[in-house]
Structure formats: structure tokens, C-alpha cells
Amino acid sequence: DLVLKDAASDFFIGTIVQANRLTGQYDVVMQREFSSITAEYQMKMDIMYPNQGVYDWTASDAIVNYAVDNGFNLHGHALIWHNATPEWVRNFSGSDTEFEAMVKDYIKTVVGRYKGKVTSWDVVNEAFNDGSGSYRNSVFYQRLGEDYISKCFQWAREADQDVLLFYNDYNMCNDQTKQNAVFSMIDELISDGVSVNGVGFQMHISYNGPAKENIMAASNRIVERGLKVHFAELDIRANPDNNMSELTSVRALAQKEKYKEVAAIYNSLPASNKYALTIWGLKDDESWLLDFYGHQDWPLLFDMHFNKKDAYYGVLEGLLQK
Ligand code: G3I
């Protein structure tokens, strides 16, 4: 049978991993279908740098070694994210100068450690507030000011001349205000000569939206800047309104059609602007969405027994669509 990574002929098709899910059926399905992996949470600051001056590379090294040993592309997620910032960083007691030195050292240590193994990094994730052009008031914004994003990209570049550097965010296809703020920031980086290679759209969407036209228009804002597009965290809720206790065949087919539409959009991008389409989970029962929304959903390509769902064939058909 044709598999996803063969259908994704000129870009990576990815999924997410955790260090304790690299064997057995996880390994079988990942090796068979996918060409790229992203750490779901174990390559974030709160896990790798839990205490000042003390790194914990246990999980991140396991994931990096798995990627290298098995020939997977590895997307680094995420150097700077307000939701994965260790307590000691959020309550940093030193001066702004010492804070800047600490962040610079962290970025250069992590990017340097995985140079040649990690192809790309989300340097900054989710820097803007929903529905507004304002910066989230993260400790990075507070302590380093508006150009913290620029500084983080520069430090990452200094540590690895070849790694692809991404900005990553969510609701980029349906929050026009946030989308405008992101691209204004990207344009500032570009005009300041800061090395940025791509933008990640998380793509946590639903079977009934955002509309195809919005996804295409948003993606084109990356393409027209000559940057790479990463559909970085794709999952498609089948039960956004929490009105189902099981996945009906009607809703499963609607979800399939949305996966097919998104895969076809990605596949239609110019080759030079493609990087990866990454699904944010392998099997339905392990999706972050279940805890986040607190109700049943079936957002991914495989069911809890690693069986292919209609959604899987939606991605396959979307990738094969000419
Ligand atoms: O598995 C461990 C468990 O052994 C331990 O006892 C427990 C308590 O420490 O933690 C468990 O790990 C949790 C993990 O999810 C389980 O999957 C981590 O604490 C928890 O922080 C982690 O949450 C992740 C979250 O980002 C924060 O890092 C989610 O998995 C992950 O899906 C979510 O992904 C984010 C993207 O990075 C950015 N975009 C939004 C997306 C969804 O929030």
C-alpha cells in the first residue's frame, strides 16, 4: 500500500513523539508512514532547563538519537514559549542584563548541542495575544523588550549557520488581527537582516473551519515573502461543539474531507516554500485536545488501536491530488 511519506514527495510528513513512545507499534507506524518528527513537549525549556544552570537532556537526547538512528527529519519545538518557561526563569531575580545573558546562553547551548541533528527550530512560539496585535506580556517581553524575538533568532543563527529558523503560532488562518501582527513582525526581521527561514501555522482546526480560502490566503503571505511554510501541529476536531459521544461515519467523512483539503493546499504550494506538514499526534486517544477541551474527540489519523481512519485516507488523497 502507498504510505504517507511516499505521497508527500517533496516535503516532510511529520508526527509528534514522546521519549517513552519510540518503540513497539509507535515505532512501526512512524517508520512506515512518516519522514519527520517533533517532540510534543520534551524539547521545550521547562523540560531541558528545569533549574538555573542545570540542564536535563535525558528525554531530548532520546528523541534526537531516535531521529538520527532512524533517519527522521527532526523539527525542534520550541526554544522560547511562554507556556513552557521554567518557574526559575519566570521569577528570574537577576538584572535584565543577566536575564539576556541567560537566555542567549540557553539558546546557544541547545541549538549548539543539536547542530546537524535538528533541521529546524521554532525559535519563538505564540508571541502575540489572540485577537490583537499586542505582544504577550511574557517574561521575555518584559525583560528584553519588543526586540526579544529578533535577539532570539540572531542567537540561534550564531549557534548554527544551517538550521532553519521558524516563527510559530496558532489561529493564523482565522484571526486576521494576530496574522497581521505576525507578518508585520516577520517583515521587520527581514528588513533588519535577521535570518528567518519560515513560519509555522499550528493548524489546530475543526472539520468545519477555517475555510479553504482563508488557509490559502494566509499561506500565501508566507510564500510571497519567500519563506517556508510549516503546517506544524495539524489536528482536526470532529466534535468541536461537544455534541457527540462517538465518531459517527458522517462526521468521520467530513473530517476526512477537511484533512484532504488541507493536505491538498499544502501540496499545492511552490516546492521551494514547502518544508513539512506535521500532524499533532499519532492516535486519537492520545491527543492533547481531549484534556484541553475536556470532552470526547477523534482528531487524528489513527484510532486508539493504531488503525487507519477515514482521516488517514483524506491526507493520502489530498497529497496525491494534482
Ligand atoms: O507524561 C508526563 C507524566 O509522566 C508526568 O507525570 C506529568 C506531570 O509532570 O507530565 C506528563 O507530561 C505532560 C505531557 O503534556 C503529557 O503529554 C506535561 O506535563 C505537559 O506539559 C505536556 O503538555 C504539552 C503542552 O504542549 C505543554 O508543553 C502537550 O503534550 C502538548 O500537546 C502541547 O503542545 C502545544 C504546542 O507545544 C504548542 N501549540 C499548542 C499545543 C497544544 O497546547
Side-chain angles (χ1 to χ4, degrees), residues 45-55 86 88 102 105-106:
M45 195 178 191
D46 59 338
I47 305 297
M48 294 191 298
Y49 204 10
N51 301 299
Q52 181 152 12
V54 181
Y55 288 95
W88 69 270
M102 178 275 291
D105 178 63
Y106 158 72

Side-chain angles (χ1 to χ4, degrees), residues 144-163:
L144 301 176
E146 266 190 28
D147 60 356
Y148 83 91
I149 298 175
S150 173
K151 288 176 176 174
C152 292
F153 273 84
Q154 290 176 65
W155 296 331
R157 179 56 72 221
E158 285 166 21
D160 184 341
Q161 284 305 309
D162 306 314
V163 67

Side-chain angles (χ1 to χ4, degrees), residues 184-238:
S184 296
M185 179 274 293
I186 292 290
D187 288 342
E188 274 181 50
L189 292 181
I190 293 171
S191 62
D192 291 348
V194 175
S195 181
V196 51
N197 303 102
V199 175
F201 287 172
Q202 292 183 13
M203 299 297 284
H204 294 297
I205 64 175
S206 294
Y207 77 95
N208 55 358
K212 175 180 182 175
E213 297 70 30
N214 293 13
I215 300 171
M216 293 174 74
S219 302
N220 283 330
R221 294 188 78 176
I222 303 174
V223 170
E224 64 195 14
R225 288 165 171 80
L227 300 176
K228 294 191 178 298
V229 181
H230 184 200
F231 281 6
E233 306 180 18
L234 180 61
D235 43 36
I236 302 185
R237 293 194 290 285

Side-chain angles (χ1 to χ4, degrees), residues 18 40-41 44 77 81 125-126 202 204 233 280 288:
Q18 298 187 13
E40 182 166 16
Y41 71 102
K44 295 170 186 172
H77 174 79
W81 183 33
N125 185 44
E126 304 177 11
Q202 292 183 13
H204 294 297
E233 306 180 18
W280 203 251
W288 70 284

